[in-house]
Amino acid sequence: GEVDDQVKRLLKMYTFYIVPCMCPDGAVRGHLRTNAAGANLNREWATKRFYEAPTLERSPEVYCVLKKMDETGVDLFLDVH
């Protein structure tokens, strides 16, 4: 159908990287924003003043995703809650 044709066209034009859950270790414990180290992953995407983020020790999830984003380039990033 029409939607399938649009999807095929997008897949030919772009590469999609999908990260289904940034915080599986925290989610298992009932925490959707904090990981097992206690870091609020919503606050780990950029360094602010005296708080360096992300770090491999405190927020490896964000660290690795940002590293991959830097390697591949990003035209669009969508965070869905």
Side-chain angles (χ1 to χ4, degrees), residues 6-33:
Q6 290 174 352
V7 170
K8 287 177 186 176
R9 188 170 35 119
L10 287 172
L11 290 173
K12 284 182 183 178
M13 294 171 57
Y14 302 102
T15 301
F16 292 86
Y17 295 91
I18 299 172
V19 180
C21 182
M22 285 291 296
C23 191
D25 56 345
V28 166
R29 293 176 173 86
H31 306 290
L32 299 180
R33 292 185 181 190

Side-chain angles (χ1 to χ4, degrees), residues 3 7 9-10 19 22 24-26 32 34 39 49 51 56 59 61 63 65 73-74:
V3 172
V7 170
R9 188 170 35 119
L10 287 172
V19 180
M22 285 291 296
D25 56 345
L32 299 180
T34 57
R49 299 188 108 200
Y51 186 78
L56 193 53
S59 52
E61 310 90 334
Y63 182 91
V65 169
V74 175

Side-chain angles (χ1 to χ4, degrees), residues 31-52:
H31 306 290
L32 299 180
R33 292 185 181 190
T34 57
N35 64 8
N40 181 341
L41 298 184
N42 288 339
R43 306 290 177 253
E44 291 293 310
W45 290 91
T47 295
K48 293 183 181 174
R49 299 188 108 200
F50 304 106
Y51 186 78
E52 183 183 345

